[in-house]
Amino acid sequence: FNGGFQNYFISWGSVHPPLKLFITDFLFKLFDINVYTYNAIGYFFGIVGIIFIYKLCENIFNRRVAIVAAITLATYPLFIAVGIFALTDYLISVLILVSLNYYSRKNYFLYSLFACLAVITKETSLLLPVAVMAIDMLYSLNKVKSILKNLKVFFLKIIYLTLPLFTYYLWNSFITANGQKAWNDWNFSA
């Protein structure tokens, strides 16, 4: 990341959001540029993913389901293989697990924080806040009376649920101002 955003934009058809780049740059400055430092990102996110799938399943189901889910994820060959290379899809998968865990616990601030981190990791994670908002709004239609009683909580929840979309809007505005595109045909190529 040496040289700022101008070097980041050189010879790209489109640019992914920068969270992975920031993490990599920080670790390279701390521990030098080598394979072990780069792989540490994947190892760290892998451990976080296993912990949070356990917490999410324990909160939604029970401890037994949580143990099975954590063991399944920890031993799943694709999770291990992709984790070694710390691909952006791997990072957003873990950030989505963390976000959903906090959403299931009704901690909308931490949900929003980790959903924003997912959005500034890769654009496709925008599906998370859109899906969560749609489901939450449909569920809230049944609770119109309770919403009207506590408007402050309702508006705070709306802010937290839309914050990841606003975060993406800021990123997209920034790269557009620098003459770049966030989306390109090859973003969705097989």
Side-chain angles (χ1 to χ4, degrees):
F1 193 63
N2 194 11
F5 276 103
Q6 294 309 318
N7 283 349
Y8 182 56
F9 292 144
I10 293 174
S11 66
W12 279 85
S14 67
V15 180
H16 284 303
L19 184 65
K20 182 182 175 188
L21 185 67
F22 288 154
I23 293 169
T24 306
D25 183 54
F26 175 74
L27 288 176
F28 282 169
K29 285 181 180 172
L30 224 59
F31 302 111
D32 203 17
I33 299 173
N34 60 58
V35 174
Y36 304 110
T37 303
Y38 186 76
N39 288 346
I41 299 167
Y43 299 146
F44 173 76
F45 273 84
I47 292 167
V48 169
I50 293 164
I51 290 168
F52 276 91
I53 198 162
Y54 176 87
K55 292 176 118 187
L56 176 64
C57 291
E58 184 180 44
N59 188 44
I60 294 174
F61 303 107
N62 59 44
R63 188 169 189 260
R64 181 175 287 164
V65 171
I67 291 170
V68 169
I71 290 171
T72 302
L73 185 63
T75 59
Y76 189 63
L78 188 58
F79 185 75
I80 296 166
V82 174
I84 292 170
F85 300 106
L87 298 176
T88 52
D89 295 314
Y90 180 77
L91 301 183
I92 66 169
S93 297
V94 172
L95 290 169
I96 286 171
L97 281 174
V98 175
S99 298
L100 290 175
N101 171 65
Y102 286 120
Y103 180 80
S104 75
R105 295 173 189 276
K106 297 183 182 352
N107 187 333
Y108 302 117
F109 173 75
L110 287 177
Y111 155 77
S112 183
L113 174 70
F114 286 99
C116 286
L117 290 175
V119 166
I120 61 170
T121 302
K122 192 170 181 185
E123 305 87 351
T124 53
S125 60
L126 278 169
L127 294 173
L128 170 71
V130 170
V132 166
M133 266 190 349
I135 292 168
D136 197 80
M137 294 303 162
L138 288 173
Y139 182 73
S140 294
L141 290 176
N142 294 332
K143 298 181 173 186
V144 174
K145 282 186 179 179
S146 65
I147 290 172
L148 294 176
K149 287 181 184 176
N150 204 344
L151 282 176
K152 180 183 174 185
V153 171
F154 175 73
F155 285 118
L156 274 176
K157 189 175 180 181
I158 294 296
I159 289 169
Y160 289 143
L161 291 176
T162 57
L163 193 58
L165 300 174
F166 183 69
T167 301
Y168 179 76
Y169 170 76
L170 291 175
W171 166 249
N172 194 39
S173 298
F174 173 77
I175 63 171
T176 302
N178 282 285
Q180 300 296 318
K181 295 185 261 180
W183 298 92
N184 209 331
D185 291 340
W186 58 267
N187 283 84
F188 297 106
S189 62

